Amino acid sequence: MAENVKPRVRVPRTASAGEVITLKALISHKMESGQRKDGDGNTIPRSIINRFTCDFNGENIIDATFGGAVSTNPFMEFEAKVPESGTFLFTWYDDDGSVYEESKEIAVS
Amino acid sequence: MKRSVSILIAVLATGGIALGQGMSPADVSYDEYGAVEVSLSGQPGNAEAGEKIMTTRGKGNCIACHQVDALAEYPFHGEVGPPLNGVADRYTEADLRGIVANAKMTFEGSIMPAFFKNSGYIRPGIAYTGKAAGPGDLFPILTAQEIEDVVAYLLTLKE
Amino acid sequence: MIKRALTGAVCVATLVAGAFVGMNAVADEHANLIVNGEIEMVVRTEAPEHMENVDTIYSGWVYRATETQALQMDDFDNPGMLWVDQAAEYFETAQGPEGRSCQDCHESPEALAGVRAVYPKWDEERGVVQTLENQINECATERMGLEPLKYTGSEMVNMSALLASVSRGMPINVAIDGPARETWELGKELYYQRTGQLELSCANCHEDNYGNRIRSDMLSQGQINGFPVYRLKNAKLNAVHSRFKGCVRDTRAQTYAPGSAEFVALELYLASRGNGLSVEGPSVRN
Amino acid sequence: MKITRRETLMLAMGAAAAAMIPSAASGAAIDDAIALFTGGATPGEGGVTLVAPEIAENGNTVPIEVSAPGAVAIAVFAQKNPLPDVASFKFGPLAGAQRAATRIRLSGTQDIVVVAQMADGSFVQTSQEVKVTIGGCGG
């Protein structure tokens, strides 16, 4: 597991049924692109978050694939439709096999 | 002006400066307005090579501070110094050589770094490492020939 | 924008030429910085009395492109806040031989609101000007029994970001009189000293040329009210002494060490040039 | 300065033409990457938008936003990056809009190309040039 990986997500606390809401997700990660060389001229191996997903009560909202050109500390903003109260699950997949998760509840009236 | 005379004599005596060599910064003679008459390398400058030096960050990096319309293919020019368009109409070759070699001899207190100087600094470092430069670590930012190349390029900037 | 007196000729030439070399889209010079819709920052104000050559002081935020400015207007968009969160965890974590945390003495990070704004500050007991980093290390070593944190290391930068974040919006107000005067004078001397093979002082770029570009970088006034700074360039939080080091290195000079007496003095002097601007850290710059 | 507005424009066009030469030369990798996404289909125009700065203050962190109402997926390509694939987004049943924003790296001034796959299996594309600034310090 890469060091100091820390996710942040932003979800509104409440929404009305069927409302479209904006979600944001940010995670600290160096996103080593695999294109850089070290001081000795050797290519630094790629080490990135290669996939990010967000689901709500088990149904998918977005499934993103990242290449080496996504910036350090990858940021995502997207929109979701929330039919009922429940839980958002944010998942980041690291090249090294690590999976980072964060969840947030929302109350839908 | 004593020094320039002695250099002239030396140049005459040796039949000119050998190819690939050039003056050291201490040998450069600036007139009272900061101009330098004699080629620093003893060779003519190459304007094409000069263009490269003007636009290369670790070299002259002239466009970091100066606008040069003729170099528009290298995007983003700085605003710290005056635009160099038509500079050949305003200055002689000797003026330009003096300004590139050590602008402070022409414009007192100028922000422009001296490109042909290797002593008299406060806390000089080894290039862009931040490490202290010991004796023998300091070289002019541009070589004598590179100064001539830049001057040759500047002489093409006529309006 | 914010162009100092230029001759008309130079000005016109710059504008005409600027049209085709493609200039940076810089935000409206009257833009105001309000973070999270609630923290109002002073990004331009009258210069402190001690400044001889500048009438108005500007936060570095003013000189950045619209997109970069936007990153600092909402804590979620500001990646620097990731490490504020980390430091907040560190703040409450018991550590060291006696298992103490920052929280044991300081109830919460918010209890330290206002501290950032007055550092560097004369320390009576030690008889020196202390930076916030020195003060954090005083706590770490003397109260918690820890090894000192590395001066510009990530734990220190994170902690300084946390302490800045709780003071955001408060005016920088460092004291330069009394016993701090001597340090301040040294800082001022260093500010105007032309060092390195490029023979550049801080003032050459940041007092004489703010608002002008070097290549496409617009030079700011070199204000330090936004530190630590999340830079797009290296995508991490940067300590103020790391930034000093980078600038000095770029003049082809021998740098001073982070935490050295010289950099402490320079920090006090620079902070005093920003007296009246808001604490902005962690800010976002390019 | 004696440059007229007309001459300035011509210079500008010359600069743009010069900038396009390397673009054309390194176009193959991005064409292959797009073909992989479209299965070889040629994308049409319209129905997909890209919001990106005209000039990016730093190529390391360039904010972009893509949207294509009704799309099932949107892919982002950078024409001159060493690897043209930047990111792709598939939208699930609970997507509130077919829109995503992220921050990307650009190795230099170049076109960003965005291709959307619509629900009927067709593809549409749009592109925009983003100029990436160059710093002044020599070190």
Side-chain angles (χ1 to χ4, degrees), chain C residues 144-193:
Chain C
M144 298 167 79
L146 300 173
E147 289 294 309
L149 308 183
K150 192 166 170 276
Y151 197 87
T152 55
S154 60
E155 281 177 334
M156 180 64 92
V157 180
N158 295 352
M159 189 54 67
S160 89
L162 174 66
L163 294 186
S165 72
V166 296
S167 290
R168 283 185 299 171
M170 296 180 174
I172 301 279
N173 183 23
V174 296
I176 61 172
D177 50 3
R181 191 73 189 182
E182 200 181 321
T183 305
W184 183 84
E185 297 283 359
L186 170 63
K188 183 176 179 182
E189 188 185 319
L190 293 170
Y191 183 83
Y192 287 102
Q193 185 177 60

Side-chain angles (χ1 to χ4, degrees), chain B residues 64 76 79 110 122-123 139, chain C residues 22 194 196-197 213 215 254:
Chain B
F76 306 115
E79 305 168 325
S110 172
I122 298 167
R123 295 181 67 82
F139 305 94
Chain C
R194 298 184 69 159
Q197 210 174 354
R213 291 182 173 84
R215 206 74 200 261
Q254 178 193 359

Side-chain angles (χ1 to χ4, degrees), chain D residues 53-68:
Chain D
E54 189 188 336
I55 298 175
E57 185 154 32
N58 196 296
N60 255 343
T61 312
V62 183
I64 61 158
E65 183 186 317
V66 297
S67 67

Side-chain angles (χ1 to χ4, degrees), chain A residues 18-31:
Chain A
E19 188 182 341
V20 171
I21 57 169
T22 299
L23 307 179
K24 293 186 183 190
L26 183 68
I27 191 165
S28 57
H29 197 283
K30 60 187 172 179
M31 295 295 279

